[in-house]
Amino acid sequence: MKYLHTMIRVTDPDATVAFFKLLGLEEVRRMESAAGRFTLIFLATPEDMTAPGQRASAEVELTYNWPTEGQAPEVYTGGRNFGHLAYYVDDIYATCQRLMDGGVTINRPPRDGNMAFVRTPDLISIELLQDGAALAPAEPWASMPNVGEW
């Protein structure tokens, strides 16, 4: 048995892909079904990518269900027992700064030099963990308060 992917439903594929690109993931492949009225977008970290044309070792699948004509896109809240996606990062402070510079709110700042939380445009929580030992506490992160839910 092998882990393949985590699927999350999205309402704005372009905004969600842009979010994950800021995070460091790349689009691996995209499939559209006019008959099924949906788009699937698969993303992975460069470290999880295998040979060209093959699936990555771990992926995030974005599922966009097309609205019918005249209908607003569906709004998703919470999810069925879904918690969060988690990624190791090389430098949690640099990652959070890159996300902030890209307009992403850091909901739980990395005050401890080890863990932070952000949310996708569809409010899916993403946990960022420092790979290896925690970094020494540093400003502005050490005194930054939590914002919203995470």
Side-chain angles (χ1 to χ4, degrees):
M1 193 178 308
K2 179 182 170 187
Y3 172 80
L4 296 176
H5 65 261
T6 298
M7 183 276 274
I8 57 176
R9 296 185 190 283
V10 303
T11 56
D12 185 338
D14 294 335
T16 305
V17 168
F19 170 85
F20 278 105
K21 284 186 177 183
L22 275 173
L23 196 56
L25 279 72
E26 298 176 13
E27 187 170 328
V28 176
R29 66 187 181 286
R30 183 180 291 237
M31 301 174 348
E32 295 195 351
S33 172
R37 302 191 50 74
F38 65 85
T39 301
L40 303 179
I41 304 165
F42 292 86
L43 304 128
T45 66
E47 293 81 4
D48 286 326
M49 290 189 196
T50 56
Q54 295 185 357
R55 295 178 189 270
S57 62
E59 299 174 332
V60 174
E61 173 191 332
L62 308 180
T63 297
Y64 175 63
N65 294 306
W66 303 353
T68 57
E69 194 162 329
Q71 174 189 3
E74 190 162 348
V75 175
Y76 302 106
T77 57
R80 298 169 296 238
N81 299 321
F82 182 81
H84 62 265
L85 303 174
Y87 292 95
Y88 277 129
V89 297
D90 290 332
D91 182 326
I92 197 156
Y93 296 142
T95 299
C96 287
Q97 188 63 58
R98 183 177 72 249
L99 291 168
M100 278 181 49
D101 292 347
V104 174
T105 298
I106 308 299
N107 300 97
R108 194 279 192 195
R111 291 184 292 276
D112 57 3
N114 185 55
M115 179 182 69
F117 275 87
V118 296
R119 295 177 90 186
T120 72
D122 288 293
L123 305 178
I124 301 294
S125 292
I126 307 291
E127 179 181 19
L128 305 173
L129 295 165
Q130 175 63 40
D131 193 8
L135 302 180
E139 293 298 339
W141 314 107
S143 59
M144 207 179 256
N146 291 344
V147 176
E149 296 180 26
W150 47 277

